[in-house]
Structure formats: structure tokens, C-alpha cells
Amino acid sequence: DGGITQSPKYLFRKEGQNVTLSCEQNLNHDAMYWYRQDPGQGLRLIYYSQIVNDFQKGDIAEGYSVSREKKESFPLTVTSAQKNPTAFYLCASSIGTRLTDEQFFGPGTRLTVL
Amino acid sequence: AQSVSQHNHHVILSEAASLELGCNYSYGGTVNLFWYVQYPGQHLQLLLKYFSGDPLVKGIKGFEAEFIKSKFSFNLRKPSVQWSDTAEYFCAAPGPIYSGAGSYQLTFGKGTKLSVIP
């Protein structure tokens, strides 16, 4: 069953702690993305990766870090430097980054920082 | 900077009413446009897309969208909504090019919540 999995679905952390969100895909896609979704803000791009061992900052990369050591995995770390980390985080993937490449989304992780 | 504007934050309709959700984009190059839908508790999924050709695009579940180049618009329509159409709808268009030729990212609008009353 092909798709994108994100874990956990809900995550609670204390302020000042780093936390890593998991994203795995078995679609054999080269490109992967992390978005942040806030009410009334739509989706904003945090980081994306076109290929293994490569990634680029998006619109709101400050306070976040990523790695892409394997094609199927693109974990996102929310660091203590992120000023407002409570949000819904969506991972996506696509075959490539051409204009015609549709993005497929995971179910999301809701992070709450207490 | 590229931007995507969705005119309505929240739309409330009765079943069988007609729907039109507005979307305007600012990207001036080759345009590929998308509408995504997020049903309550479900993944964000593609509703329809425009790449080229016929500016009237048909998608899943009876939705359609019309690309009007002169107005930079890609409005979503459905003649008769159902309660099951209750969801949040996002328009997306090409955004900033961060690295390399041929590498495009999407810019999403802020979304429109549609509530359909039975």
C-alpha cells in the first residue's frame, strides 16, 4: 500500500526541547517537502529536498533542521530556536520538482509545545 | 514575490447551493495551477489541476475550475454542493524558484473553509 506516513499523529513537548518529526514514503519519489499549517495561514514551506543528501530552505526555515540520508525518509527537527513551534506539520513528496509534478501529502503531525 | 490569494476565509452554504471559490495568483511565467482539498481528519489531496489546453478543468466529485489568464484567476466551482463537500480548500500556484533550473515549488493560498448545512 503506497503512501506517506508521518509519526506520531500528536506530539507534546516542553518549551526549550528539540523534537524530531518522522516522515517516510514508499512511492519512490525523489522530492520531499515539509510544510507548516496554521489556521488561516495556509501551507508554508519549511524545507524541501530534491534528492538524497540535498535539501533547501523554504519560506520559514528558521528554527528547523532536516536531513535526507535515505530516499524514503525526510525527518524534521523543530529546535528550541523556533519561536512559535505549536502547529500542524505536513510532509509531502513528488516524483520531482517540475511544474507538472503533483505533490502527495501525509496525514500530518500536530505538535503542541507546552 | 509570488502570491496566491483566496478571497473567502469561510463559506457557509446549504445543500444543493452552487459554489464558487475564488483564487488569484501573481506568477507571471508558465502556469500550472492546483486545487487541493482537506476533508476533516483526512490527508490533503488533489482535487484538480491545470497544466495547459482547455481552460475549463474537471476534477473529482463534480468539481471544476476555470483558468482565466487575463484575470490571473483559477476559480473553483460546483453546481450543487453536498454535506460531504464540507472541507478546507487550497489553491496552489508556482512559487519561488529556490535552486536550479527546472526546480519549482508551490505557493499555497491561505485556504477557504467550506461548511455545507444539510
Side-chain angles (χ1 to χ4, degrees):
Chain A
D1 200 11
I4 302 172
T5 56
Q6 292 185 243
S7 60
K9 188 172 182 180
Y10 298 97
L11 190 54
F12 296 89
R13 278 296 182 268
K14 290 183 179 179
E15 196 172 334
Q17 289 181 333
N18 291 357
V19 60
T20 297
L21 281 59
S22 167
C23 177
E24 304 277 329
Q25 54 98 359
N26 61 5
L27 300 168
N28 201 32
H29 285 172
D30 282 321
M32 296 186 74
Y33 312 79
W34 274 106
Y35 292 92
R36 173 181 170 137
Q37 186 179 6
D38 296 284
Q41 295 293 318
L43 277 68
R44 293 181 289 170
L45 183 66
I46 304 172
Y47 268 97
Y48 77 99
S49 168
Q50 294 186 91
I51 202 164
V52 175
N53 292 322
D54 177 72
F55 49 84
Q56 305 292 333
K57 292 182 179 180
D59 294 323
I60 54 167
E62 186 175 349
Y64 299 98
S65 66
V66 293
S67 63
R68 187 85 188 277
E69 296 175 3
K70 298 186 294 182
K71 186 175 186 176
E72 59 271 22
S73 179
F74 191 41
L76 173 75
T77 297
V78 185
T79 74
S80 56
Q82 167 49 232
K83 290 182 172 38
N84 185 19
T86 294
F88 189 54
Y89 291 88
L90 285 169
C91 179
S93 71
S94 60
I95 291 176
T97 54
R98 296 165 302 179
L99 278 176
T100 53
D101 292 336
E102 176 187 343
Q103 293 185 21
F104 295 83
F105 287 82
T109 292
R110 189 166 297 280
L111 172 66
T112 303
V113 175
L114 306 170
Chain B
Q2 286 87 344
S3 66
V4 175
S5 300
Q6 291 184 240
H7 311 305
N8 309 99
H9 178 60
H10 193 184
V11 173
I12 302 172
L13 296 173
S14 297
E15 273 194 321
S18 64
L19 170 72
E20 180 160 3
L21 301 182
C23 173
N24 287 92
Y25 62 92
S26 64
Y27 186 70
T30 302
V31 175
N32 288 10
L33 298 163
F34 304 82
W35 274 98
Y36 281 84
V37 60
Q38 191 173 34
Y39 296 104
Q42 293 190 27
H43 297 206
L44 200 69
Q45 58 185 280
L46 185 67
L47 195 57
L48 49 78
K49 59 190 176 186
Y50 169 79
F51 289 161
S52 63
D54 189 345
L56 186 61
V57 179
K58 295 194 184 299
I60 60 172
K61 303 187 180 185
F63 285 89
E64 64 179 31
E66 185 176 12
F67 169 58
I68 303 179
K69 189 175 182 179
S70 61
K71 295 184 179 180
F72 291 84
S73 71
F74 190 54
N75 292 356
L76 181 70
R77 300 196 293 246
K78 186 171 184 179
S80 175
V81 294
Q82 301 172 317
W83 176 78
S84 58
D85 294 324
T86 295
E88 190 160 15
Y89 295 81
F90 295 92
C91 182
I97 300 170
Y98 289 103
S99 67
S103 172
Y104 294 88
Q105 302 310 314
L106 289 180
T107 294
F108 286 82
K110 293 187 176 183
T112 297
K113 283 189 180 175
L114 172 64
S115 298
V116 180
I117 302 168

